[in-house]
Amino acid sequence: MSKEKIKISEAMWDFMPPEYQDMVDRATYGNNQRSWKDIGSSKELIEQHSLCAGCPESIAFRYILASLPNPEDTVMVGSTGCTSLVFPHVAIQNIHSLFGNQNAIASGLKRALKVRFPDKIKDVVVLAGDGATVDIGLDMTMQSWFRGEMFTTICFDNELYANTGGQESGLMQKGFVSKMAPVGKLFEKVRLPEIAFESGCHYVACLTVSKPNRVEKVIRNAVLVAREFGPTYVQLYTPCILEIGKQSMEGLDEMKDAEAIGQRFVAKEYMTDNVKAFLKEQDAKDKAAKKAAKAAAAAAK
Amino acid sequence: MSGYQVKPGPEAFLPPSASSMGIVLPDPGEGHIEGRIVPEDEAYELAARKFLEAKVPTLFPGPLVLWHWNDNAAEKAKAIKRLAEAIPARIIPMADYRPKYPKIIPEVEINPNHPNLTIWHNKIDACIFIGVHCHQANLALKIIRGGTSCYTMAMCAQAGHEDACLSFRDASVAKIDKLTETVLRLKKEGVKSQGDEFKQFRNNYTVSYKPSYE
Ligand SMILES: Cc1ncc(C[n+]2csc(CCOP(=O)(O)OP(=O)(O)O)c2C)c(N)n1
Ligand code: SF4
Ligand SMILES: [Mg+2]
């Protein structure tokens, strides 16, 4: 990891728009200790977002980008939906796929990267809505898990099709009425985290994005485990404030309510024993690295 | 042979792609002027004159030269700066191809999805694309030809651009320098730049990480 990959030609430096200079100068690329705490003080990997004001997807997106262990060598695969409006602003390689096809695209991509760059770590991360992951793309999602494809799938679960005006999705809760589903959902929210674990995912997490450090940990775990073991799945509750009739400032409260004891988004994780041991080792390494970085910073002062 | 000519616009909201009108690309050692295949020297001569005749001659470097992918890219960037100083011409970068919404800042950048905004805003009447990937260059060149009267040129690293009014192919540092030399020679012969006075836009961004290139 280094800034080597994003150098501006010296003769052109003065002519580059400031946002690019800023990106090269202050982005967190190459910083092994990068974290969600860099949001706001260093150059973020999203310039602007094009979501509704206060949409929790926007902050979830930032946390995810800040948590990727290897952003320069990560390729994200997106799908149609509200998230796809943000990808053009993201300073990480990304591919837009046909709605629902994201996990098929990611499978091919990950395999091709492995052939093309056998000596390099290249992470592939899918980021798609619940409609793309659980309904229209469910076949592609699950087949990639059955095959043990080595990448991470992240689902922004806003419990409906937000981008097309609020149709019912498999992840919608039973009884919920939305603008384009006036009858109300007749069956239960699909238990995709459990299905994912049964289908071959080595690490699964389901939570809201109310706590950045938790999101960071989970994303990092998922990417590292996908590198070593096989498919991983993270489901994040990012409520569509527009569809549930909340104000811009109310997204956080909505998430906190939804993760309270007994509610549907109490944080949960599933992992194999091997993964548990691996993550424990990884945690110890991370702690040591953090300590060393702190000591080095103190010595430099 | 096609009777179609790749002239400056405004041609139509959606001008036809030049290739669909029968315009073909030059072979090595050749260029094209408005769709007519010519020896490369003729293209240098006309390109240099177009820049000197223009009121707002502008160079549009693309990602292939703006970013330091390798040493050759950095050398091409230097050659572009020499060309800009010789004419003199503005340098306005096309740093990437993202559709930038809600807006671009047309003084400092050009975007392939609405290049006409930069042309209109700065009243650019002659321009050259250098280091822009083929498909984005063709898209942008067509939009410019569609909605503006700017004379478009392309210094293409591959086989040339049929959608530019004038195109070179196989761009290299030597070729960019040859264009610079042609401009300087014409100036020596008495051809004066008709360009408006301008100050090259420079960012006053304060740098904490200065790239080093030893
Ligand atoms: C193949 C295909 N089918 C249908 C659509 C229409 N479409 C666009 S966005 C969308 C729903 C997106 O829902 P979700 O994946 O939950 O993302 P969200 O917008 O909620 O974040 C649909 C059905 C499409 N673009 N492509
Ligand atoms: S429609 Fe909903 S999910 Fe989409 S950007 Fe707006 S608030 Fe977010
Ligand atoms: Mg959704």
Side-chain angles (χ1 to χ4, degrees):
Chain A
M1 297 221 294
S2 77
K3 283 198 161 148
E4 289 301 296
K5 292 196 184 152
I6 50 161
K7 285 200 294 194
I8 292 172
S9 288
E10 198 176 12
M12 291 291 122
W13 174 270
D14 286 341
F15 306 100
M16 277 297 232
E19 68 189 86
Y20 296 94
Q21 295 176 329
D22 206 15
M23 180 66 72
V24 172
D25 192 11
R26 293 202 189 91
T28 53
Y29 298 122
N31 171 6
N32 285 322
Q33 296 300 314
R34 63 199 293 280
S35 82
W36 67 271
K37 289 182 187 149
D38 295 313
I39 294 173
S41 58
S42 77
K43 178 75 167 180
E44 291 162 22
L45 301 183
I46 302 181
E47 262 306 302
Q48 304 154 317
H49 72 76
S50 37
L51 301 166
C52 299
C55 174
E57 282 194 0
S58 65
I59 195 67
F61 224 126
R62 292 204 159 100
Y63 294 158
I64 291 169
L65 296 189
S67 313
L68 294 172
N70 193 17
E72 301 92 320
D73 282 303
T74 300
V75 186
M76 296 188 77
V77 180
S79 196
T80 319
C82 288
T83 48
S84 56
L85 302 176
V86 184
F87 271 113
H89 304 275
V90 166
I92 283 183
Q93 313 283 356
N94 62 79
I95 297 177
H96 178 73
S97 65
L98 181 71
F99 192 64
N101 273 5
Q102 60 280 356
N103 279 41
I105 303 274
S107 301
L109 176 66
K110 176 72 195 193
R111 292 184 193 190
L113 288 171
K114 196 157 180 205
V115 173
R116 175 71 180 77
F117 303 99
D119 307 325
K120 268 194 182 161
I121 294 171
K122 292 272 180 187
D123 296 321
V124 171
V125 177
V126 169
L127 176 55
D130 49 318
T133 309
V134 188
D135 293 338
I136 300 180
L138 185 62
D139 183 5
M140 270 62 78
T141 306
M142 288 188 60
Q143 296 285 353
S144 74
W145 294 340
F146 297 159
R147 290 192 307 265
E149 304 285 352
M150 314 268 288
F151 63 84
T152 299
T153 305
I154 303 173
C155 172
F156 274 0
D157 178 7
N158 51 14
E159 306 194 297
L160 42 71
Y161 290 35
N163 198 231
T164 39
Q167 290 83 3
E168 175 178 315
S169 99
L171 290 189
M172 183 182 271
Q173 12 168 359
K174 189 175 176 183
F176 194 83
V177 174
S178 66
K179 287 196 196 106
M180 300 278 185
V183 173
K185 179 119 179 268
L186 296 176
F187 54 94
E188 294 292 340
K189 182 177 176 79
V190 172
R191 290 160 56 86
L192 199 65
E194 288 74 18
I195 294 173
F197 194 57
E198 286 300 322
S199 305
C201 285
H202 292 253
Y203 175 85
V204 175
C206 180
L207 63 162
T208 80
V209 298
S210 69
K211 298 186 179 64
N213 47 350
R214 253 200 208 164
V215 178
E216 177 175 305
K217 188 88 186 55
V218 167
I219 297 298
R220 201 175 146 75
N221 285 352
V223 173
L224 295 179
V225 170
R227 258 184 217 169
E228 303 291 329
F229 295 88
T232 57
Y233 175 62
V234 178
Q235 185 170 318
L236 298 172
Y237 181 44
T238 53
C240 172
I241 48 174
L242 188 81
E243 280 300 326
I244 60 178
K246 301 256 169 180
Q247 301 294 325
S248 299
M249 301 303 290
E250 294 173 342
L252 187 58
D253 287 340
E254 167 60 28
M255 292 189 282
K256 282 185 176 159
D257 289 347
E259 69 193 356
I261 296 170
Q263 299 302 312
R264 65 195 188 289
F265 282 103
V266 174
K268 58 184 168 188
E269 265 181 323
Y270 302 104
M271 65 190 92
T272 60
D273 290 341
N274 286 344
V275 166
K276 201 178 270 175
F278 167 79
L279 289 178
K280 203 169 159 195
E281 218 172 90
Q282 196 63 41
D283 278 350
K285 269 191 213 159
D286 285 354
K287 248 185 211 155
K290 234 176 223 162
K291 211 168 154 192
K294 240 187 200 165
K301 269 185 195 164
Chain B
M1 229 196 97
S2 156
Y4 187 74
Q5 288 179 300
V6 193
K7 293 271 199 191
E11 181 163 339
F13 178 58
L14 278 176
S17 73
S19 62
S20 75
M21 302 305 285
I23 302 297
V24 296
L25 291 171
D27 282 330
E30 297 173 336
H32 88 75
I33 295 176
E34 294 166 16
R36 186 168 52 88
I37 302 297
V38 297
E40 206 167 42
D41 283 342
E42 196 179 326
Y44 282 118
E45 193 76 16
L46 187 68
R49 282 184 187 277
K50 285 286 177 192
F51 277 131
L52 291 174
E53 281 169 13
K55 286 212 169 324
V56 188
T58 303
L59 316 186
F60 292 135
L64 290 168
V65 291
L66 291 169
W67 297 96
H68 189 127
W69 307 105
N70 50 42
D71 293 342
N72 190 36
E75 287 305 316
K76 275 189 185 165
K78 286 185 196 158
I80 289 168
K81 210 167 156 193
R82 290 195 285 272
L83 176 60
E85 279 160 10
I87 296 172
R90 284 172 179 74
I91 294 179
I92 298 183
M94 183 185 283
D96 63 27
Y97 306 136
R98 296 175 299 158
K100 285 176 113 177
Y101 298 113
K103 67 175 192 126
I104 61 153
I105 311 166
E107 291 89 6
V108 297
E109 63 186 325
I110 177 166
N111 186 280
N113 305 290
H114 31 59
N116 47 334
L117 300 183
T118 298
I119 305 269
W120 284 334
H121 181 91
N122 299 293
K123 300 188 167 58
I124 295 167
D125 50 356
C127 70
I128 191 162
F129 280 63
I130 313 179
V132 178
H133 289 86
C134 305
H135 53 298
Q136 300 290 358
N138 269 354
L139 169 74
L141 288 164
K142 233 169 71 113
I143 296 173
I144 295 173
R145 203 150 50 77
T148 83
S149 58
C150 179
Y151 194 89
T152 56
M153 295 175 263
M155 179 61 86
C156 171
Q158 312 251 353
H161 281 295
E162 68 278 14
D163 276 304
C165 304
L166 183 157
S167 176
F168 298 93
R169 54 167 293 158
D170 307 315
S172 61
V173 172
K175 287 201 181 187
I176 301 170
D177 281 342
K178 183 150 182 205
L179 184 53
T180 309
E181 282 155 25
T182 312
V183 168
L184 292 173
R185 196 203 74 226
L186 285 175
K187 280 179 131 176
K188 217 183 233 166
E189 288 171 11
V191 183
K192 284 206 177 77
S193 163
Q194 303 299 309
D196 291 342
E197 286 250 336
F198 72 98
K199 251 174 101 178
Q200 196 76 261
F201 184 88
R202 275 188 206 227
N203 293 305
N204 48 7
Y205 179 81
T206 43
V207 188
S208 62
Y209 159 78
K210 186 75 183 164
S212 74
Y213 298 91
E214 54 287 330

